[in-house]
Amino acid sequence: MIASTAINPEHYVSEDTFQRELENVFKQHWLFIGFKDELANHNDFLTLEIAGFPIVVQNFNGELSALLNICSHRKARLQTASKGNRPLRCPYHCWSFKEGGKLAGIPGNNQEFQLDEAQKEKLSLRQFAVDSCGDFVFVRLAPEGQSLKEFLGDCYGMLEDFSDHFTDPVHSGKYQWQSNWKLAVETVLEVYHVPGTHPDSFSHLAKAECDIISVPPHNLGNTPLLDAPKKWWSGVRKQLKLIQHPQLNEYNHVFVYPNLAIGITNGSLMSVQTYDVIDRTQTVLHYRLRMLGTAQGHAKDGALKRAVVANFSDFNHTILEEDRLMAESCQQSYAHTDTAAILGKCEDRIRLFHDAWRNDMETRP
Ligand code: FES
Ligand SMILES: [Fe+2]
């Protein structure tokens, strides 16, 4: 028998497991927050919440700081949007902050507080590690830990390479799934579900087979594309004057533990997804689609490009909705079963994901 056994269902519903995951998984590893071009200008920012724990990454004169997104005064959120460009100034009473989370200004300090420099220093925002690999920006909540390069290991060079090619951000969005984050992740780690879940969508794109490579705690999967989508993409590249990625021509997929999935279709389109934790049964799927750049920058924004982007954005939406229904279905069942799921050969990336998870949950206190 080559089948393996999945994580027990209780770990998809238990509050105790969820709290341990926050400590042992999400607070330990580097988490993807966005792309450098989303943070290119002074005061550009991105926010991320991990089970409500709020983080902001902001550009201060070209330098990125990752900070706790909670005002030191009376604890309002500093940045309330998921991305944008504005000074790091609290909307409540207008305290403002600068690089490294240091206080930049307190309205009426002399009359209201009379805080001296040393006291202001103590009111700096908590700061976290931030680093990038190519255009991918990551944060780490734990003060100590592996460097981003050590953590990404074999994936480091891949992400640098993807950054060189997929430079054109064409679409992004978020969906809320009523499922545990692990169930959401598991939907992208196998193609065994394709004929059942995606009979009229992904089935027309790729075969239900996969070459799996383990690069712990991460893993890779390559799935052959059918001829029709290859032809379609070849036509698109010709029309938009795009040059295909030289090595990637199938559906090439990289999973960066714990919650980043990167799928590349025919060396032409990169889909980047994170599964952000809300609570034990809710996850936000945040996707970003990026196309190949051209020698001149990005493909011209004409009618053809708009039609192409609309086409694969619709396709992406359909597939994610189909996956959501299955993840939510399993989530509902997991409260009523105590026998673990069984995983076949084609689902071996889920076993690898579970091995990494078990390692975190068992080896850390
Ligand atoms: S809570 Fe932020 S300035 Fe008052
Ligand atoms: Fe799927």
Side-chain angles (χ1 to χ4, degrees), residues 92-216:
Y92 202 172
H93 315 91
C94 301
W95 283 31
S96 58
F97 298 84
K98 56 187 180 183
E99 68 280 352
K102 292 190 179 18
L103 259 169
I106 301 177
N109 182 34
N110 290 342
Q111 302 84 51
E112 298 292 334
F113 302 97
Q114 297 183 345
L115 299 175
D116 62 23
E117 289 312 309
Q119 290 162 324
K120 282 195 211 163
E121 182 78 29
K122 285 200 184 122
L123 292 167
S124 298
L125 305 174
R126 216 164 116 196
Q127 199 176 359
F128 307 106
V130 58
D131 200 356
S132 54
C133 170
D135 289 336
F136 293 75
V137 180
F138 290 80
V139 294
R140 189 194 63 213
L141 299 187
E144 306 287 332
Q146 286 181 310
S147 69
L148 180 61
K149 197 164 192 177
E150 287 165 343
F151 169 69
L152 289 174
D154 290 338
C155 296
Y156 193 89
M158 293 177 209
L159 267 55
E160 280 185 315
D161 173 54
F162 299 165
S163 301
D164 290 341
H165 289 85
F166 303 100
T167 53
D168 189 1
V170 289
H171 193 58
S172 66
K174 289 182 182 182
Y175 296 108
Q176 190 150 342
W177 288 21
Q178 305 301 316
S179 86
N180 183 270
W181 69 278
K182 298 188 291 301
L183 268 169
V185 164
E186 289 161 20
T187 64
V188 282
L189 291 183
E190 49 93 357
V191 287
Y192 182 56
H193 73 290
V194 168
T197 307
H198 307 297
D200 300 315
S201 55
F202 202 86
S203 276
H204 297 303
L205 181 78
K207 299 179 185 165
E209 54 189 77
C210 188
D211 270 346
I212 296 170
I213 300 167
S214 171
V215 285

Side-chain angles (χ1 to χ4, degrees), residues 71-76 78 90-95 97:
C71 180
S72 309
H73 176 223
R74 277 173 47 208
K75 317 298 176 185
L78 292 164
C90 182
Y92 202 172
H93 315 91
C94 301
W95 283 31
F97 298 84

